[in-house]
Amino acid sequence: MKTTKPMLSWKHPEGVLNDYPNLRCICSMGAGIDHMLSDAYLPQHLPVIRQVDPMLAQSMFEYTLTAVMHYFREFDAYQNQQRQTQWQPQPPKSMGQTTIGIMGLGQLGQYSAEKFSNMGFKVAGWSRSKKTIEGVDTYAGEHQLEPFLAQTDILICLLPLTDQTRNILNTELFNALPQGACLVNVARGEHLVEQDLIDALNAGQLRGACLDVFQQEPLPKQHPFWQHPQVLLTPHCSSITDPRSVAPQIVENYRLMKSGGVLLNQVDIKRGY
Ligand SMILES: NC(=O)c1ccc[n+]([C@@H]2O[C@H](COP(=O)([O-])OP(=O)(O)OC[C@H]3O[C@@H](n4cnc5c(N)ncnc54)[C@H](OP(=O)(O)O)[C@@H]3O)[C@@H](O)[C@H]2O)c1
């Protein structure tokens, strides 16, 4: 008897899905689905679903909070001073005078935006469609990108990777930030033009960058980011799917698929996220 099947996948080999004629649904193990849409042979008729999980959002917030506090409390400056045996307190700052700008106000971005706002930071957020989030100044669309950036002290990228957002973190965007702003990229390496970041750091336009994702992963040993004094990097670990946490929604989607119900967390393949 023929049985119809879903597939759970993370970075499958290109074209392999066509080897499974009974496939009914493709499920990403993570929040992102760009690794699936980059498969030129992806069967277009199948639904694609992703993980939407409170643990993913909380874990991402914990990471962005760590990065934000590193820059807000000037640990980058103190690290430098320590190397030079220099005792020099930095001038005090307040959360209310520091703006965190979040690009992408989806499941992850909105969660972090609300948390930062509740802590007392000024928070701005940018998305494709306009959002209303208590305590957050929201901006939408390309025409509002510049005013969003102009006030941002610490920029966090939580966009999905699409044709519109690839290479969005580039010289033009860095120049639209106030001088001395910091960047936290926890979305995808392909959002960032890496040489543009190095130039912006060397020129003093940006003060520092905390990077979790890279154009090439693992980051090649000879890559300049490893040794750059203004780069803080981690190995793509800002928010890792915990199988124990997402298993119930995968099982629920399996049941829905079998009964012909509407699947949870289905993505819009045309939109790209
Ligand atoms: N480093 C890691 O470990 C890790 C872990 C998990 C996720 N991620 C990354 O984080 C990304 C975001 O996850 P999510 O679950 O929050 O995604 P999501 O719920 O799909 O939200 C995406 C957000 O980005 C906005 N957006 C999309 N295209 C845009 C554009 N062209 N201009 C302006 N805004 C745009 C959307 O606007 P609308 O609301 O108007 O649609 C939405 O607010 C994932 O795609 C993945 O790449 C990384």
Side-chain angles (χ1 to χ4, degrees), residues 6 11 15 27 30 48 55 59 63 68 77 115 164 166 176 178 187 191 217 268 272:
K11 298 189 178 174
C27 174
V48 173
M55 262 187 82
S59 159
Y63 183 99
V68 161
K115 292 260 182 196
Q164 287 72 46
R166 190 180 305 274
H191 285 124
E217 296 179 6
D268 180 341

Side-chain angles (χ1 to χ4, degrees), residues 138-265:
T138 56
Y139 297 79
E142 274 177 43
H143 65 293
Q144 289 193 345
L145 180 57
E146 228 178 276
F148 159 77
L149 294 170
Q151 56 174 305
T152 291
D153 298 306
I154 303 174
L155 181 69
I156 300 175
C157 180
L158 269 170
L159 290 166
L161 183 66
T162 66
D163 290 344
Q164 287 72 46
T165 65
R166 190 180 305 274
N167 295 333
I168 192 168
L169 303 173
N170 58 29
T171 300
E172 195 186 340
L173 179 141
F174 300 146
N175 287 340
L177 289 165
Q179 194 177 17
C182 299
L183 170 70
V184 180
N185 187 19
V186 274
R188 288 289 181 261
E190 293 91 334
H191 285 124
L192 175 64
V193 182
E194 295 182 341
Q195 187 57 50
D196 285 5
L197 173 63
I198 291 172
D199 293 344
L201 291 169
N202 291 345
Q205 174 57 24
L206 292 189
R207 171 176 134 208
C210 174
L211 307 174
D212 184 50
V213 288
F214 304 89
Q215 293 271 353
Q216 194 184 334
E217 296 179 6
L219 189 65
K221 291 236 183 273
Q222 68 282 8
H223 198 289
F225 283 163
W226 284 110
Q227 305 301 337
H228 200 292
Q230 289 149 277
V231 172
L232 182 63
L233 66 85
T234 52
H236 200 147
C237 59
S238 53
S239 181
I240 297 172
T241 304
D242 181 343
R244 288 166 301 187
S245 183
V246 298
Q249 65 183 280
I250 294 169
V251 171
E252 177 60 12
N253 258 333
Y254 179 70
R255 289 206 187 98
L256 288 166
M257 186 200 79
K258 296 290 274 185
S259 64
V262 178
L263 299 174
L264 310 172
N265 307 324

